[in-house]
Amino acid sequence: MQKRRSTIPRMLCSSPRRRKTVISRIKKMKTIKTEGNKLSENHNGKSIAYKWVALFNVTLASLMGSINGSIILISLPAIFKGIHMNPMAPGAFQYLLWLLMGFGLVTATLLLTIGRLADMYGRVKLFRFGFLIFAIGSTLLYLTPGTGNAGALELVIFRLIQAVGSAFTIANGSAIITDAFPVSERGKALGINMVAFMSGQFIGLLLGGVLATYNWRYVFLVNIPFAVLGTVWSYWKMKDISFRASRTSLDIVGNLLFVGGLTSLLIGVTYALMPYEHDGITDAMGWNNPWVMAALGIGILLLIAFPFVESKVKNPMFKLEFFKIRAFAYGCLASFTAAIARGGAMFMLILLLQGIWLPLHGYSFEDTPLWAGIYMLPMTLGFMVMGPISGMLSDKYGPRWIATTGMAIVTFVFVGLSLLPYNFDYWELGILIFFMGIGNGMFASPNSSSIMNSVPPQNRGVASGMLSTLANSASTLSMSVFFTVVIVGIQKAFPGAVKASLASFGSEQIIPAVQQLASYLASMSPTNALFSAFLGYNPMDSVLKSMDSSIVSSIPQQIVTTLTSNYWFPQTLQQAFMPALRISFIIGALLCGIAAVLSAMRGQRYVYEAHNSVSNIGDLAAVEETHT
């Protein structure tokens, strides 16, 4: 048996200068690995491996971010009430939409730039900074001084500050875990992190429901201890053990094109979901708004120009050459397609529960946000069960078929959801969303580890930023796609459903005021009705309060009681809502089917360190081996 010897390629040995650079990098990596192994020793001399320190802090950031994202969904009624603002008042809808979607918009536009900066200046350094910014944003939200429109605007601005901090942690989280764990454990580690992220989404729903009953400010206060702990812990225990990319000039033109294009596109998509008033007519959505069309057009043009510019500049922010790596290209495309299917569809499921199923089963509209979160728990359970398991299996057998099977399962779940009646038995939904959690759990961790394993170690920040940017952008686009399909479907069918329902008990023929009510409901934007139910308000209560009191007072009390019951609006809405919802679920099935095909096309397991020369090392296994 021969001793371990260097396997530096002979072509590198032929150049003394090149060989010197390679040896220098090897020594630097040895130093970094030694430091990483020595980190976190306690006073007893027992060692806590640095990889667990890194995983704990990244998981804390993921948990904190996902709780923060979902806690506001259920707390919006209490928040609007706390700042003395009627969520159904004119102009309130834009604040509502920015509170829901602004966080993702800001995060999506910053991730790629932050990933590039992290590769040059240190991932942990920027990760710490993100925790600090998030803590500041959470504190400002808790202290929000204004009321009415001013208070709503302050909430939006402070939440965008939170989003900036979250972008710093998201952009670096996967890269830090990949740096800290060996190839054989990365899938498991990423799986644990993703379980925390998925769990946080539903913990936020439950936590928000409890805290909002006491004080709306507690919804933001709960973030502060997490953010402070993460900030202190990351400055105290975390150190950069990554192999940094060389510091080069920033791609200013590329940054401006990408951020400008994505911002313009996502803002256009956001405002397209808002009602649009023109020439005395109110459209349910703003796709015909000239400003929306201009924003979309500018965004698309800038994003089309972006890859051409990136292919010409010396130090591009977007590594187009990564898409030559099969595992990276197909993994990112599968993730993007799956995120479009997943994001909006989950929102549609919550609307189904809150707007139709829960009221029909005796739950008051005020209680539906909390119970919708509880009834979605089987999905979290499925993800929690399969996330770590799929990660460990992908470490052993490779990610290709595990991730592909996961997407295939989700495809069939969407088909099953499209076949559900509006008044389904809960066990039917529970089983379907449990398997949706299983499928997403099988896909998420293996897919992420496949992508992160496929790129050079010094570019993992950029890769993580690219992956997160695609996922966040897809989620925002997903909301637009699914919400547009549902609103267009409702807008066409809802007026006829209203007239048929009112005519069923002879009201149109008896009371002229009811005829006016029917006309009013038929002309009403279905967006307002859906979001009224989503916020825990009785939609018909809101409608009657917005009408002329003289008209409402002429409607017999028996009819008013029927209209404001838990049953009339959901029963009427479902006639228009369910056909459109089924179309959205079929679209989700098609997208997940495409994601499954893309996942299968990634090829066999590919680990960068094991397939490339020492000039791009991140692991000494690429340059040393034992010969027998």
Side-chain angles (χ1 to χ4, degrees):
M1 178 179 290
Q2 298 180 3
K3 293 184 178 180
R4 182 175 294 183
R5 58 189 178 91
S6 173
T7 59
I8 299 174
R10 292 180 180 178
M11 64 177 181
L12 297 179
C13 298
S14 61
S15 170
R17 184 177 179 181
R18 183 63 169 160
R19 180 180 175 84
K20 184 177 180 181
T21 301
V22 171
I23 293 173
S24 175
R25 289 191 176 190
I26 296 174
K27 289 180 178 179
K28 185 175 180 180
M29 282 306 300
K30 285 181 177 179
T31 302
I32 289 173
K33 287 178 175 289
T34 301
E35 289 179 359
N37 292 333
K38 290 182 178 179
L39 290 174
S40 305
E41 290 188 357
N42 60 24
H43 64 280
N44 291 324
K46 296 179 180 178
S47 174
I48 302 174
Y50 176 72
K51 60 185 180 182
W52 300 115
V53 174
L55 180 61
F56 171 81
N57 227 34
V58 173
T59 301
L60 180 63
S62 298
L63 184 65
M64 179 184 69
S66 59
I67 288 175
N68 177 70
S70 61
I71 198 171
I72 200 169
L73 291 177
I74 195 170
S75 310
L76 280 171
I79 292 170
F80 274 82
K81 185 177 180 181
I83 62 173
H84 309 298
M85 187 173 187
N86 179 5
M88 307 316 296
F93 186 71
Q94 63 178 330
Y95 297 116
L96 172 68
L97 209 55
W98 272 100
L99 282 171
L100 287 174
M101 299 180 67
F103 193 94
L105 190 154
V106 170
T107 303
T109 55
L110 291 178
L111 287 169
L112 200 54
T113 303
I114 293 171
R116 174 63 177 158
L117 291 172
D119 283 339
M120 292 192 295
Y121 297 101
R123 292 160 200 155
V124 170
K125 184 184 295 183
L126 296 189
F127 182 83
R128 294 167 179 161
F129 189 52
F131 257 123
L132 182 60
I133 295 175
F134 192 92
I136 293 171
S138 299
T139 303
L140 290 172
L141 281 164
Y142 172 69
L143 298 173
T144 300
T147 57
N149 287 344
L153 181 59
E154 288 167 359
L155 286 172
V156 170
I157 293 171
F158 298 155
R159 187 155 166 79
L160 296 185
I161 292 173
Q162 264 192 334
V164 173
S166 185
F168 276 93
T169 58
I170 292 173
N172 292 288
S174 295
I176 289 173
I177 290 176
T178 306
D179 287 337
F181 280 81
V183 173
S184 60
E185 294 181 329
R186 285 174 188 167
K188 176 181 66 176
L190 289 168
I192 292 171
N193 182 56
M194 288 182 177
V195 164
F197 180 82
M198 190 70 177
S199 303
Q201 291 181 339
F202 293 94
I203 292 172
L205 292 175
L206 300 176
L207 198 58
V210 174
L211 295 176
T213 60
Y214 293 98
N215 191 310
W216 68 272
R217 294 184 188 273
Y218 293 168
V219 171
F220 303 113
L221 179 65
V222 73
N223 291 319
I224 299 175
F226 286 103
V228 171
L229 173 62
T231 303
V232 173
W233 185 265
S234 60
Y235 274 96
W236 180 32
K237 289 291 187 181
M238 294 185 72
K239 292 186 179 181
D240 249 316
I241 60 170
S242 60
F243 187 74
R244 296 185 190 177
S246 57
R247 295 190 182 185
T248 57
S249 58
L250 284 177
D251 176 15
I252 303 298
V253 176
N255 270 277
L256 291 175
L257 283 175
F258 181 79
V259 174
L262 192 57
T263 300
S264 182
L265 181 64
L266 295 181
I267 286 177
V269 165
T270 300
Y271 277 92
L273 300 180
M274 297 183 185
Y276 171 50
E277 296 182 10
H278 61 100
D279 303 325
I281 302 172
T282 301
D283 293 336
M285 306 187 78
W287 291 105
N288 294 324
N289 187 334
W291 291 106
V292 168
M293 289 190 286
L296 293 174
I298 292 171
I300 291 170
L301 288 175
L302 291 177
L303 290 177
I304 289 174
F306 176 68
F308 292 100
V309 171
E310 292 297 277
S311 64
K312 303 296 183 183
V313 297
K314 184 178 180 180
N315 301 301
M317 65 176 291
F318 200 91
K319 298 286 186 180
L320 294 175
E321 64 267 25
F322 285 177
F323 287 97
K324 296 178 182 178
I325 303 172
R326 190 173 178 180
F328 181 89
Y330 286 109
C332 282
L333 290 173
S335 177
F336 181 76
T337 309
I340 294 178
R342 184 174 57 249
M346 294 305 97
F347 190 68
M348 294 300 109
L349 273 176
I350 291 175
L351 284 178
L352 172 62
L353 287 170
Q354 290 189 215
I356 296 175
W357 193 84
L358 285 168
L360 286 177
H361 286 78
Y363 295 88
S364 66
F365 281 96
E366 292 79 7
D367 293 334
T368 56
L370 173 61
W371 283 100
I374 292 173
Y375 279 121
M376 292 291 286
L377 283 176
M379 185 184 297
T380 306
L381 180 61
F383 198 98
M384 290 177 67
V385 167
M386 189 52 64
I389 294 175
S390 67
M392 289 185 285
L393 290 175
S394 70
D395 288 335
K396 187 173 182 179
Y397 300 108
R400 183 184 187 182
W401 296 115
I402 298 171
T404 301
T405 302
M407 273 298 98
I409 290 172
V410 178
T411 301
F412 287 112
V413 169
F414 270 118
V415 173
L417 290 172
S418 71
L419 299 175
L420 279 181
Y422 77 93
N423 200 13
F424 52 82
D425 291 327
Y426 175 71
W427 66 265
E428 298 173 302
L429 178 68
I431 289 175
L432 285 171
I433 61 176
F434 174 77
F435 278 100
M436 180 171 277
I438 291 287
N440 281 315
M442 290 180 69
F443 173 78
S445 173
N447 190 65
S448 293
S449 63
S450 172
I451 292 169
M452 296 305 297
N453 279 335
S454 69
V455 299
Q458 66 268 29
N459 294 129
R460 284 173 183 156
V462 169
S464 179
M466 290 168 72
L467 175 61
S468 300
T469 297
L470 290 172
N472 279 269
S473 301
S475 295
T476 304
L477 292 173
S478 177
M479 286 282 289
S480 174
V481 170
F482 283 89
F483 205 73
T484 298
V485 169
V486 170
I487 291 299
V488 169
I490 292 176
Q491 195 173 21
K492 290 181 178 179
F494 189 60
V498 168
K499 289 181 179 180
S501 181
L502 290 174
S504 65
F505 49 88
S507 300
E508 284 189 284
Q509 291 74 27
I510 299 173
I511 306 294
V514 176
Q515 293 179 340
Q516 291 180 286
L517 173 63
S519 299
Y520 184 86
L521 286 171
S523 63
M524 182 184 69
S525 168
T527 306
N528 289 337
L530 278 177
F531 270 93
S532 178
F534 175 70
L535 289 171
Y537 289 85
N538 186 324
M540 287 308 301
D541 230 9
S542 302
V543 167
L544 293 175
K545 287 178 181 178
S546 66
M547 291 182 65
D548 190 302
S549 59
S550 62
I551 297 176
V552 176
S553 62
S554 63
I555 302 174
Q557 185 58 44
Q558 183 180 1
I559 294 178
V560 172
T561 302
T562 300
L563 293 175
T564 56
S565 69
N566 276 21
Y567 306 102
W568 186 85
F569 180 80
Q571 191 73 42
T572 304
L573 177 66
Q574 67 85 17
Q575 299 175 49
F577 183 75
M578 291 305 295
L581 184 68
R582 290 189 179 102
I583 292 173
S584 72
F585 285 148
I586 291 170
I587 293 172
L590 290 173
L591 289 169
C592 286
I594 293 171
V597 172
L598 291 169
S599 179
M601 293 172 67
R602 80 177 72 231
Q604 297 302 322
R605 190 181 190 189
Y606 177 84
V607 179
Y608 184 88
E609 294 95 327
H611 292 81
N612 291 271
S613 72
V614 71
S615 60
N616 289 309
I617 62 166
D619 194 315
L620 294 179
V623 295
E624 293 188 340
E625 62 180 2
T626 301
H627 296 273
T628 56

